């Protein structure tokens, strides 16, 4: 009896213990009131009040709209470049050439007034398109989301000898040539290509323009034509196409044209983004990037029609995203971006590479030493770049001497103050400027990130004597460039870039065919100093 009583008592204790609720870990608890940046949120047993749920959904939609700008500014930039060409009457497969160089009348993100720009757009939804490039060219092909497709010219497979590039769209499954072309497959139907040619002897664009117009061709690919062996036809592997001269390429003159290719930061940004989504394959962009775009109502095959609530949220997000992008461009915060210790000169591509993910390889006596992938995107660098620059390729992020070009940007002076267009500044380049081709400074308008428009027309200074006089070196071999609204006394015209008293500015130093003293930093420009 005593044993039975003890057994029943123990069973009752077990039952009481089992029925008692285990405490919820503190890390899982949402308090009844939560103070956040969107206000105080109220919960009852973990369930938000109707007012709190509305605030949370507003904030969620805000984050999607904000990301749609930050992640996809690059695509809208390409769209704007295409639209700018269309606005001056260009059509697909036609070519825009700046025969007397680009001036400050047109809005292009950080373009220069030193090289002859050539560009155009393609539509490969109808079939592959051939782009024939001239010799001594430097350029790239980009897709509709501003992704690199292939380099052309000196950094590309033709190595500056000129070549035939066959650009193939995402849906094409027809025959391709066995040879004769450099074949590149894109993930979008809209393609932008652009490149530059250098002046002869730094002073004469005319012979180069003649070469460009004689060698540059853009036309639809003829399956079974050049590049298809007769043996493939005899084996039943291919049909034979026509062998005919391509139609004449239409050229448009760009010098002096007023055109806007800069992406907008008002409501038309979202409208442009919708146009890209509607015109490209649904799978052209990574689903993680397309998710926020779809969440704000931009979905392929569906109308884009946000209600008043959503439009207000998106407008607010757009304003903040643009402001953040501008801050990242004009006030970089990452010390690793700066090229020299305690300097205002920066170029983050050495740290991030052209995909903003892995540092660019070291070039050593033993060969190339690549860095291992970091596994993450450097988001600030990506935003900085696409807010201010058009065109990204591996060739922009390399340490090879004598090939391509390298850039240093300065948005602030030696005291880390932003440039005032009403004041006078100077910078000195020591003797032995490390370039095998030429060097230059270009000044840009802070607002448009395009060349600063002043009576000078071409806001540049450098070693070339066109379109403005070449800069003159001092007796010790150094060269000083002045930035001021009026030409300083005793300063040669070629050593002065005009600024606007009513506008802020920044500058880029370009070294074309850079040499080893730039990469090992044994040569260093001075900081840009305030004079008065």
């Amino acid at each position: 009896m005593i044993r039975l009583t003890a057994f029943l008592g123990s069973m009752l204790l077990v039952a009481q213990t089992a029925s008692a609720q285990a405490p919820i870990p503190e890390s899982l608890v949402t308090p009844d009131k939560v103070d956040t940046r969107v206000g105080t949120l109220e919960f009852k047993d973990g369930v938000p009040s109707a007012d709190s749920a509305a605030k949370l959904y507003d904030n969620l939609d805000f984050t999607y709209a904000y990301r749609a700008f930050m992640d996809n500014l690059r695509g809208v930039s390409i769209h704007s470049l295409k639209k700018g060409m269309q606005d001056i009457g260009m059509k697909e497969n036609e070519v825009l050439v700046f025969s007397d160089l680009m001036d400050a009348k047109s809005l292009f993100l950080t373009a220069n007034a030193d090289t002859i720009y050539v560009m155009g757009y393609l539509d490969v939804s109808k079939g592959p398109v051939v782009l024939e490039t001239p010799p001594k060219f430097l350029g790239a092909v980009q897709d509709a989301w501003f992704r690199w497709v292939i380099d052309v010219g000196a950094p590309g497979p033709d190595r500056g000898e000129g070549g035939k590039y066959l650009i193939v769209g995402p849906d094409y499954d027809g025959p391709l040539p066995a040879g004769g072309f450099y074949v590149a497959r894109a993930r979008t139907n809209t393609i932008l290509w652009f490149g530059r040619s250098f002046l002869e002897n730094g002073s004469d664009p005319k012979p180069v323009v003649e070469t460009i117009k004689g060698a540059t061709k853009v036309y639809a690919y003829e399956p079974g034509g050049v590049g298809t062996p007769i043996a493939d036809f005899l084996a039943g592997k291919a049909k034979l196409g026509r062998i005919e001269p391509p139609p004449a390429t239409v050229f448009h003159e760009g010098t002096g044209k007023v055109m806007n290719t800069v992406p907008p930061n008002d409501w038309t940004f979202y409208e442009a983004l919708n146009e890209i989504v509607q015109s490209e394959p649904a799978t052209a962009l990574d689903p993680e990037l397309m998710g926020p775009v779809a969440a704000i109502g931009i979905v392929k095959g569906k109308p884009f029609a946000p209600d008043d609530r959503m439009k207000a949220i998106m407008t607010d997000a757009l304003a903040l995203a643009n402001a953040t992008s501008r801050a990242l461009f004009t006030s970089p915060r990452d010390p690793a971006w700066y090229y020299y210790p305690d300097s205002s000169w920066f170029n983050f591509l050495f740290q991030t590479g052209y995909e903003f993910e892995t540092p660019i390889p070291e070039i050593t006596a033993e060969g190339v030493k690549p860095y291992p992938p970091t596994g993450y995107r450097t988001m600030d660098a990506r935003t900085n770049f696409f807010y201010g620059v058009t065109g990204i390729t591996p060739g922009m992020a390399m340490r090879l001497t004598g090939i391509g070009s390298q850039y240093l940007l300065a948005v602030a002076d030696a005291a880390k103050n932003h440039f005032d267009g009403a004041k006078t500044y100077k910078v000195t380049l020591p003797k032995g400027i490390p370039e095998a081709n030429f060097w230059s400074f270009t000044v840009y308008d802070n607002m448009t990130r395009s060349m600063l428009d002043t009576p000078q027309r071409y806001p540049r200074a450098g070693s070339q004597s066109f379109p403005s006089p070449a800069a003159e070196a001092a007796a010790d071999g150094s060269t000083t460039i002045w930035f001021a609204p009026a030409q300083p006394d005793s300063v040669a015209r070629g050593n002065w870039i005009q600024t606007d008293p009513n506008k802020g500015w920044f500058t880029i130093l370009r070294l074309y065919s850079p040499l080893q003293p730039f990469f090992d930093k044994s040569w260093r420009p001075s900081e840009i100093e305030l004079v008065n």
Side-chain angles (χ1 to χ4, degrees), residues 109-153:
L109 292 175
T110 51
N112 67 66
D114 302 304
T115 60
I116 302 165
Y117 277 102
V118 188
M119 62 189 71
Y121 68 93
L122 318 174
D123 179 0
V124 294
S125 66
K126 307 166 188 175
V129 176
V130 178
L131 167 64
E132 294 190 21
T133 59
K136 299 180 181 179
F137 197 57
L138 180 69
V141 176
Q142 316 273 178
D143 77 4
W145 292 111
F146 218 140
R147 292 173 300 207
W148 174 73
V149 176
I150 191 170
D151 285 326
V152 299

Side-chain angles (χ1 to χ4, degrees), residues 229-298:
I230 297 294
D232 284 359
F233 167 70
L234 296 176
K237 297 178 181 179
K239 294 181 179 180
L240 290 184
R242 297 170 298 175
I243 305 294
E244 296 179 353
T249 298
V250 175
F251 288 87
H252 294 257
E253 180 54 57
T255 302
K257 287 282 178 68
V258 177
M259 54 192 297
N260 178 19
T261 70
V262 177
N265 52 251
D266 61 6
W267 183 258
T268 59
F269 175 92
Y270 292 120
E271 294 174 345
L273 184 58
N274 181 58
E275 289 177 10
I276 302 169
V277 170
Q278 300 305 329
S279 63
E280 297 301 334
T283 56
L285 194 63
D286 182 277
E288 289 290 331
L289 292 174
M290 192 62 81
V293 177
I296 61 174
I298 298 177

Side-chain angles (χ1 to χ4, degrees), residues 343-365:
S343 176
S344 290
W345 294 110
F346 73 92
N347 183 340
F348 48 74
L349 292 180
F350 289 97
Q351 301 297 321
T352 69
Y354 80 100
E355 290 188 310
F356 313 101
E357 190 268 330
T358 301
I360 64 178
E362 295 284 351
I363 307 298
T364 70

Side-chain angles (χ1 to χ4, degrees), residues 41-83:
L41 305 175
E42 297 181 349
F43 292 83
K44 184 177 181 180
D45 194 24
V47 178
S49 67
D51 180 66
S52 294
K55 288 180 181 178
L56 289 166
Y57 279 122
D58 283 353
N59 182 67
L60 182 61
D61 289 337
F62 178 92
T63 63
Y64 290 145
Y66 181 88
R67 279 199 58 192
F69 183 98
M70 300 296 278
D71 290 340
N72 301 297
L73 175 64
R74 50 194 179 140
V76 175
S77 183
I78 286 287
H79 181 81
S80 300
L81 185 56
K82 173 185 171 183
K83 186 177 183 302

Side-chain angles (χ1 to χ4, degrees), residues 195-218:
R196 298 164 292 169
S197 289
F198 300 145
L199 306 184
E200 287 196 0
N201 302 316
S203 62
D204 189 0
K206 291 182 177 59
V208 183
V209 172
E210 289 177 4
T211 298
I212 290 169
K213 290 186 175 181
T216 305
K217 297 180 177 65
V218 187

